[in-house]
Amino acid sequence: MAQHDVHALPVWAMDYQHKPEGQRVYLRIVNDFDLMTYTAFQVKRGKVAVPCCRARKTDTSLLLANLKPVFDADKKMDLLEGKEPLVEVRAEFLTHPIREVLGMTKETSKLHTVRMGDPLAKLITMMAHGVHRVLVAAPDEAHDPRLISQIDLLRFLFNRNESFQDLLNISAQDVMNRALKQRVPENAPAGARTLTITIHNTAIVGFKKMRAHNVTSVGIVDHEDHLISSLSAANLRGLNKERLAEVVKPVLVFLRNSMGEVPPPHICTPKFTLAQVIAHLLRERLHRVFVVDEDQVPLGVISLSDVISMFEASTEDIVPLQTEP
């Protein structure tokens, strides 16, 4: 993922049950949130003798049946607590096969697919409700399936902006408020509106907080609650044994050591229009922006799912993804 600057990859196995020469069967899409979860919370999984994904005579139904972790999300077994010698020992998990990561999160517990002839509205609905990537099934064996991301979909919709002029003039404040109503209870404390950690927290604290709240990023604030950077699941791409000890260091040290600098946060103000927010997301290839006040105190977050959900009720007349041959 780090080498090719991607956030997800489809995982396949060779199925020899139906064709002697074998055929690819796509199992799941593994993403950086799965990798973060596996790193932040090492868990016990069912011990079943499952053949290697590329072994002959692979029974893909057996493989799929044993992807589900045998643990309760509220009974996680934390293994990375902050003692570097322990981290050194536990780095062994980096050599585990990919199949152990599959299905670690709710989104990747199933393979989300569409066909080329499906209406675009179907894809919009899926991605408006938190599906970040969808596999487009190949029309025949001569073609490979394609992976569509939320960024791909949003770019397509934004290029048709003449169809959504009124929608694109909505303020970031209204988009944020709509998103908050959907994911934050009315009686929730103010801090629930934007998940943050402080500059004194370690990176692993941030990753654990993301997993606990099912989000892919948290803001980093100073002692006056000013937003100064952010930590995301993508920051774990390229993790290896030498870098593993970094996750138990202060978050700013982790970012500087892994990225060469502490990146400034991507922000907007409540007065931004939806069009301005989308333009910023697409230009910088972002998955979210933080909404801040005049003092750069975070007020909320606008994610790609939040933006796409704004289009959900406005796409009844949009053509299918592509006419099937």
Side-chain angles (χ1 to χ4, degrees), residues 115-323:
R115 297 174 301 173
M116 287 189 178
D118 286 342
L120 191 61
K122 178 179 179 179
L123 180 63
I124 291 173
T125 297
M126 294 170 71
M127 291 190 164
H129 294 273
V131 176
H132 295 81
R133 295 161 195 89
V134 172
L135 199 71
V136 182
D140 52 54
E141 294 183 3
H143 296 81
D144 292 323
R146 299 296 182 91
L147 197 62
I148 293 183
S149 69
Q150 288 182 321
I151 284 283
D152 298 327
L153 175 60
L154 187 57
R155 182 175 289 109
F156 174 85
L157 294 172
F158 195 51
N159 287 340
R160 295 172 57 94
N161 57 48
E162 70 279 357
S163 303
F164 305 107
Q165 283 300 319
D166 292 340
L167 182 66
L168 294 174
N169 288 325
I170 293 175
S171 71
Q173 178 76 58
D174 290 338
V175 176
M176 179 185 69
N177 288 343
R178 182 178 184 274
L180 286 171
K181 287 181 180 179
Q182 293 179 340
R183 62 174 177 250
V184 180
E186 291 185 6
N187 59 349
R193 295 170 61 91
T194 309
L195 290 175
T196 61
I197 59 174
T198 75
I199 57 176
H200 305 294
N201 289 134
T202 61
I204 195 66
V205 168
F207 292 131
K208 289 181 177 182
K209 193 165 189 176
M210 290 180 220
R211 179 63 186 95
H213 294 274
N214 196 35
V215 297
T216 58
S217 179
V218 293
I220 303 171
V221 296
D222 62 16
H223 62 284
E224 294 182 340
D225 286 335
H226 299 152
L227 186 70
I228 61 171
S229 190
S230 64
L231 179 72
S232 75
N235 293 131
L236 276 179
R237 293 181 299 174
L239 187 69
N240 54 36
K241 182 176 180 180
E242 289 69 33
R243 284 190 53 208
L244 186 58
E246 298 289 333
V247 302
V248 294
K249 294 181 179 179
V251 63
L252 298 186
V253 175
F254 168 81
L255 289 174
R256 186 181 66 242
N257 291 348
S258 61
M259 303 181 67
E261 63 175 354
V262 176
H266 291 281
I267 60 172
C268 72
T269 71
K271 294 183 179 180
F272 269 49
T273 64
L274 180 58
Q276 290 175 310
V277 170
I278 293 174
H280 186 54
L281 288 168
L282 295 179
R283 183 175 60 252
E284 302 295 334
R285 296 180 63 219
L286 304 173
H287 293 88
R288 73 205 62 79
V289 292
F290 290 87
V291 184
V292 298
D293 65 14
E294 61 275 9
D295 295 319
Q296 202 144 320
V297 173
L299 303 173
V301 177
I302 297 177
S303 69
L304 287 175
S305 297
D306 299 331
V307 172
I308 293 172
S309 72
M310 301 297 294
F311 290 88
E312 189 175 7
S314 307
T315 54
E316 295 179 358
D317 300 323
I318 290 182
V319 296
L321 299 175
Q322 178 180 315
T323 302

Side-chain angles (χ1 to χ4, degrees), residues 20-41:
E21 68 274 20
Q23 64 180 0
R24 284 190 181 186
V25 177
Y26 287 86
L27 305 175
R28 296 286 191 273
I29 298 171
V30 63
N31 60 34
D32 44 24
F33 193 50
D34 293 305
L35 297 178
M36 184 209 73
T37 299
Y38 197 65
T39 301
F41 297 113

